[in-house]
Amino acid sequence: MNIKLNPRKIPQQKRSIERYQKIVDTAIELLGEVGYDDLTTDLIAERSGISVGSIYQFFPNKESIIYSHAETCYLILHDHFFNLLDEELKKKKKFSPDFIEFTLQSFERALNEVKGYRLINSILYTNQALLQLDIESNERFAKSLAEKVILPLFPKVEKKNAYYRALMIVETVDAVFKIAQRKGKTAEKKAVLAELRSLLFVYFSSFL
């Protein structure tokens, strides 16, 4: 079954933009409270004070609301993370172990500061389109990592190989952070991330 995911209307006026954003924000808030299966446009209307009819002027269904937020989330996450990383890269002339620590801390900070990202990440398998957004996000991260980190800090790496090395790093970090997120105990999470730091150090060192 094909579910329509694109918004019916993109708001242009200030009032419409505010109403559009309130619908999205309310949906994400309720997603955290009731879960994906129990989220409905009726609930969104009740909480937001915006009628169901008005919601349908912008979105055909709840999936479209969530998808619209997910698209924005992934773009903000990318830009926020690399803005944090750019400041550190200005000081770095060569690779060092502390760069890995800073990178992972910056990534975790970005994950925590991008509103609704972890919720979106928890429901990826509810819709193939969300999974595709996740794949495209990792590819976007890999391209930027190759251009901003691998090629400047590791001149021995050939340009044609830089993207694929970056993609291995991005996919690994993404997978391990998902594992860490599932761990209930702080000590377990720290142990998982410690293994990730060791793995990344070995892999990055192979580029020298």
Side-chain angles (χ1 to χ4, degrees), residues 23 26-28 30-31 34-48 50 52 55-56 61-63 65-66:
I23 293 167
T26 303
I28 296 304
L30 285 167
L31 179 64
V34 305
Y36 184 76
D37 289 341
D38 291 330
L39 179 66
T40 65
T41 50
D42 285 339
L43 275 178
I44 296 168
E46 182 180 349
R47 175 69 64 87
S48 66
I50 298 171
V52 173
I55 290 174
Y56 284 145
N61 46 51
K62 73 173 184 182
E63 289 83 4
I65 302 173
I66 298 301

Side-chain angles (χ1 to χ4, degrees), residues 19-36:
R19 182 174 293 185
Y20 180 100
Q21 193 58 51
K22 188 173 184 180
I23 293 167
V24 174
D25 290 344
T26 303
I28 296 304
E29 182 181 298
L30 285 167
L31 179 64
E33 293 177 15
V34 305
Y36 184 76

Side-chain angles (χ1 to χ4, degrees), residues 183-192:
K183 297 299 179 183
K185 297 179 180 178
T186 302
E188 291 179 337
K189 179 180 178 180
K190 287 182 177 179
V192 169

Side-chain angles (χ1 to χ4, degrees), residues 167-183:
L167 187 59
M168 293 304 101
I169 293 167
V170 170
E171 292 287 357
T172 299
V173 170
D174 185 39
V176 174
F177 263 80
K178 284 181 172 69
I179 294 170
Q181 189 175 348
R182 294 199 299 265
K183 297 299 179 183

Side-chain angles (χ1 to χ4, degrees), residues 7-207:
R8 283 187 168 135
K9 181 173 71 173
I10 301 299
Q12 303 297 327
Q13 302 299 321
K14 180 181 178 182
R15 185 178 176 186
S16 293
I17 292 171
E18 290 173 349
R19 182 174 293 185
Y20 180 100
Q21 193 58 51
K22 188 173 184 180
I23 293 167
V24 174
D25 290 344
T26 303
I28 296 304
E29 182 181 298
L30 285 167
L31 179 64
E33 293 177 15
V34 305
Y36 184 76
D37 289 341
D38 291 330
L39 179 66
T40 65
T41 50
D42 285 339
L43 275 178
I44 296 168
E46 182 180 349
R47 175 69 64 87
S48 66
I50 298 171
S51 70
V52 173
S54 294
I55 290 174
Y56 284 145
Q57 287 180 4
F58 294 109
F59 302 100
N61 46 51
K62 73 173 184 182
E63 289 83 4
S64 176
I65 302 173
I66 298 301
Y67 183 84
S68 297
H69 181 73
E71 277 190 308
T72 302
C73 262
Y74 281 118
L75 293 172
I76 293 174
L77 178 67
H78 171 277
D79 292 349
H80 187 25
F81 170 71
F82 281 101
N83 284 339
L84 293 172
L85 208 59
D86 283 345
E87 292 302 313
E88 184 70 7
L89 287 169
K90 290 175 184 177
K91 311 171 192 174
K92 288 285 179 187
K93 301 300 180 184
K94 60 181 181 178
F95 170 73
S96 60
D98 64 301
F99 178 71
I100 293 175
E101 183 66 26
F102 179 84
T103 301
L104 293 179
Q105 287 178 357
S106 296
F107 185 59
E108 184 158 28
R109 176 180 167 184
L111 291 178
N112 290 331
E113 292 180 354
V114 175
K115 183 180 179 181
Y117 173 80
R118 291 193 183 277
L119 282 172
I120 294 297
N121 206 250
S122 71
I123 61 165
L124 286 179
Y125 292 94
T126 61
N127 191 298
Q128 183 62 39
L130 290 178
L131 275 174
Q132 184 59 37
L133 281 181
D134 195 60
I135 291 169
E136 291 171 1
S137 174
N138 281 358
E139 291 171 347
R140 188 183 305 115
F141 263 83
K143 182 179 178 182
S144 295
L145 189 68
E147 293 174 353
K148 295 175 177 287
V149 177
I150 293 180
L151 289 173
L153 294 184
F154 303 94
K156 290 183 179 180
V157 175
E158 294 183 19
K159 188 173 182 179
K160 64 181 181 180
N161 295 329
Y163 169 77
Y164 295 103
R165 294 192 179 191
L167 187 59
M168 293 304 101
I169 293 167
V170 170
E171 292 287 357
T172 299
V173 170
D174 185 39
V176 174
F177 263 80
K178 284 181 172 69
I179 294 170
Q181 189 175 348
R182 294 199 299 265
K183 297 299 179 183
K185 297 179 180 178
T186 302
E188 291 179 337
K189 179 180 178 180
K190 287 182 177 179
V192 169
L193 294 180
E195 291 301 314
L196 176 61
R197 283 192 291 273
S198 298
L199 186 153
L200 289 177
F201 177 73
V202 172
Y203 193 52
F204 270 116
S205 297
S206 72
F207 301 169

